[in-house]
Amino acid sequence: MNILIIGGGGVVGQKLAHALAAKGTLRGKPISSLTLADINDPAPVEATFPVATTRCDIADTASVAQTITEDTDVIYLLAAIVSAHAEEDFEAGMNINLFGTYNVLERCRKLGTNPVLVFSSSIAIYGGEAQDPLGDHSYPNPQTSYGGQKAIGEILLNDYSRKGFVDGRGFRLPTISVRPGKPNRAASSFMSSILREPLNGQEAICPVEPDFLHYYLSPRKCVENLIKGAELNADDLGENRVMQMPGRTWSIGQLIDAMTKVAGPEPAKLIRWDPQPEIKRIVSGWKWDIHADKAERLGLTADESFEDNVRYYLEDDKPVS
Amino acid sequence: MNILIIGGGGVVGQKLAHALAAKGTLRGKPISSLTLADINDPAPVEATFPVATTRCDIADTASVAQTITEDTDVIYLLAAIVSAHAEEDFEAGMNINLFGTYNVLERCRKLGTNPVLVFSSSIAIYGGEAQDPLGDHSYPNPQTSYGGQKAIGEILLNDYSRKGFVDGRGFRLPTISVRPGKPNRAASSFMSSILREPLNGQEAICPVEPDFLHYYLSPRKCVENLIKGAELNADDLGENRVMQMPGRTWSIGQLIDAMTKVAGPEPAKLIRWDPQPEIKRIVSGWKWDIHADKAERLGLTADESFEDNVRYYLEDDKPVS
């Protein structure tokens, strides 16, 4: 089983690599090799099988052809230009999120090897006039270019799977929190920062009100689900290879209460409330009444409570001071 | 008002050109010019304003740049590789239906003139696990590449409109019947042939059963709706620029009964029943419980009964013998 993670240098890609290293098998077979590909060199990961790291620009067909070979059995496509970044730089978003996805699919079609392709879509595909409650079969009416590009990726994944060019499975990721590392250019970045920075003893800014509702999943659960997602039988997926990944809806206030329950009253005092209109404009177009019926039927799961999300951050990610 | 019809040589494009010639205005202003563009030279159309015909390959960016200029006020994008053709020739479908649409949108973005862009989508975007009843906000889960490419066009149209690059409006066309001319490579082609050929005194083959249900609109009503569609105010379109164009659901048996009511008992005797598995496979993935709430609210309409569709064919299209 030769596995490739495109976006293997990112937060989820790295955690997935470590989880695969610990597991040693995928789809019932031993892992023979793992390749981590990203626009910059991914950090290496230790495993009992060989792990290679490589640069890959999915906007460049030659680079994609070099990275995906006839030996590649499973591809995780996690690379993306995130929401606020794609909103600012329309061409970058189109080149990576739309044409990058197309280039990966086309490479698989031309190889003719029908690899398993796990595609990360996003709850950013919901929005606009799409009606609550939202889920597997909601109309994509995103109000960001990132969401539009992900919605297009879903349709391509389905068509390439229907034609037998890839064995695709797409998952609309909830907002991942508590996300380790530094803030990124996702408009949702603050939904981790307001917990991560205070848990690390630093100040953080919250740009929305405490009653702002959103749909979350911990990185640990996300990686578990991505592994289960690759292991699903194609026959169980039906005519739609894309589904909502399970998450849970919480208010900002509930996030902070969970942090206080797990880590005491001090972190919450480090949050500064500073409403930011541009962030609010983007995230208020996002939906939160989201349901993951199909994925739950297939055995994917959400966190039990947001206290779990906080605990996982402390166990897995909090920098040792 | 300078109007461009891409796909201006096709059945709907030609009828739209004649209707615009008769009307003389669009969006409250006199029409200054009309350009009919197509992969082959479109037939010329008489009007009181200048009508140009030109070749345009929307898969070729240079050709698109030549055809869409800063003077272009309204673009109708009707060109497509139809369903069975795109199913056979995957690359042709992607190049015209996906990249052709992208090229038109990109040309508009680069011009910065925000033209009105009327995009013809299709009920072929419905299918798979999308749940009945279907309409404006149904999840696109098409079971043909043509449907997938149209669904992607919808998402691009919405995003380019949201960004202010075009003033887009997309309409999911019902199956157009009775379509004049010759059979084409759409899987739905028989839904006109079984009426048109008998009305012209010729034999026709029906590849499905009489109880097969489908969603129809006459060419005359389709053109009326495309003109209304260009004239809608952007403010009335909301956050989703795409909507179902009104049609009506009939069984094949009802189509034939309507033909008999209008034209007497002889034509129906010319239909030969010959089930064809490949056509049945494609069209049985199509949905028929379709509703056009938004378009009806905005004043677009369907035919009153299928007898109208038959009468319009006899009035507008039946070849003089």
Side-chain angles (χ1 to χ4, degrees), chain A residues 87 91 109 145 159 162, chain B residues 87 91 109 145 159 162:
Chain A
E87 208 55 19
E91 289 184 8
R109 180 171 79 88
S145 296
D159 202 46
R162 189 185 60 80
Chain B
E87 207 57 18
E91 289 184 8
R109 180 171 78 89
S145 296
D159 202 45
R162 189 184 60 81

Side-chain angles (χ1 to χ4, degrees), chain B residues 100-166:
Chain B
T101 300
Y102 169 75
N103 290 340
V104 168
L105 289 163
E106 272 292 284
R107 173 63 176 161
C108 296
R109 180 171 78 89
K110 280 173 186 156
L111 282 171
T113 50
N114 192 29
V116 169
L117 176 58
V118 181
F119 173 68
S120 60
S121 185
S122 165
I123 55 171
I125 74 134
Y126 305 126
E129 296 180 10
Q131 288 143 351
D132 292 325
L134 296 149
D136 301 318
H137 301 124
S138 293
Y139 180 66
N141 192 198
Q143 300 301 307
T144 59
S145 296
Y146 170 76
Q149 291 145 8
K150 285 293 181 188
I152 290 170
E154 292 189 2
I155 295 168
L156 289 174
L157 187 81
N158 263 328
D159 202 45
Y160 278 70
S161 296
R162 189 184 60 81
K163 297 286 277 189
F165 302 144
V166 298

Side-chain angles (χ1 to χ4, degrees), chain A residues 4 6 63-70 72 75 104 107-108 111 115:
Chain A
L4 167 65
I6 301 174
S63 177
V64 171
Q66 220 162 26
T67 307
I68 304 174
T69 68
E70 54 190 8
T72 311
I75 303 165
V104 167
R107 172 64 177 159
C108 296
L111 282 170

Side-chain angles (χ1 to χ4, degrees), chain B residues 81-286:
Chain B
I81 297 287
V82 290
S83 52
H85 186 180
E87 207 57 18
E88 281 161 35
D89 188 343
F90 183 77
E91 289 184 8
M94 290 294 277
N95 287 340
I96 297 295
N97 298 339
L98 196 164
F99 294 105
T101 300
Y102 169 75
N103 290 340
V104 168
L105 289 163
E106 272 292 284
R107 173 63 176 161
C108 296
R109 180 171 78 89
K110 280 173 186 156
L111 282 171
T113 50
N114 192 29
V116 169
L117 176 58
V118 181
F119 173 68
S120 60
S121 185
S122 165
I123 55 171
I125 74 134
Y126 305 126
E129 296 180 10
Q131 288 143 351
D132 292 325
L134 296 149
D136 301 318
H137 301 124
S138 293
Y139 180 66
N141 192 198
Q143 300 301 307
T144 59
S145 296
Y146 170 76
Q149 291 145 8
K150 285 293 181 188
I152 290 170
E154 292 189 2
I155 295 168
L156 289 174
L157 187 81
N158 263 328
D159 202 45
Y160 278 70
S161 296
R162 189 184 60 81
K163 297 286 277 189
F165 302 144
V166 298
D167 180 356
R169 39 288 303 280
F171 301 94
R172 292 180 197 139
L173 267 57
T175 289
I176 301 302
S177 180
V178 183
R179 193 182 169 285
K182 294 189 177 158
N184 69 0
R185 293 172 80 178
S188 58
S189 189
F190 76 87
M191 301 181 199
S192 284
S193 304
I194 57 163
L195 307 157
R196 182 184 59 228
E197 269 69 296
L199 286 167
N200 296 352
Q202 292 154 11
E203 214 181 53
I205 291 168
C206 186
V208 300
E209 317 295 334
D211 61 355
F212 176 80
L213 289 165
H214 199 68
Y215 192 71
Y216 296 98
L217 186 69
S218 68
R220 192 193 281 189
K221 274 282 174 193
C222 177
V223 163
E224 274 181 33
N225 286 332
L226 287 172
I227 291 173
K228 283 184 195 164
E231 294 190 322
L232 294 173
N233 289 318
D235 289 347
D236 293 334
L237 295 170
E239 291 172 304
N240 183 7
R241 296 302 192 103
V242 182
M243 65 195 83
Q244 178 59 49
M245 185 181 281
R248 288 212 194 288
T249 302
W250 308 105
S251 70
I252 293 287
Q254 287 175 309
L255 265 50
I256 294 169
D257 288 349
M259 175 169 70
T260 298
K261 274 194 188 148
V262 174
E266 291 311 311
K269 297 177 187 166
L270 291 165
I271 299 171
R272 193 150 58 78
W273 300 85
D274 182 13
Q276 288 171 18
E278 176 59 12
I279 294 288
K280 272 185 87 167
R281 190 192 63 76
I282 293 180
V283 301
S284 69
W286 293 354

Side-chain angles (χ1 to χ4, degrees), chain B residues 278-298:
Chain B
E278 176 59 12
I279 294 288
K280 272 185 87 167
R281 190 192 63 76
I282 293 180
V283 301
S284 69
W286 293 354
K287 304 274 187 168
W288 52 266
D289 186 5
I290 296 172
H291 301 266
D293 297 348
K294 187 169 182 171
E296 285 174 358
R297 270 202 311 277
L298 292 169

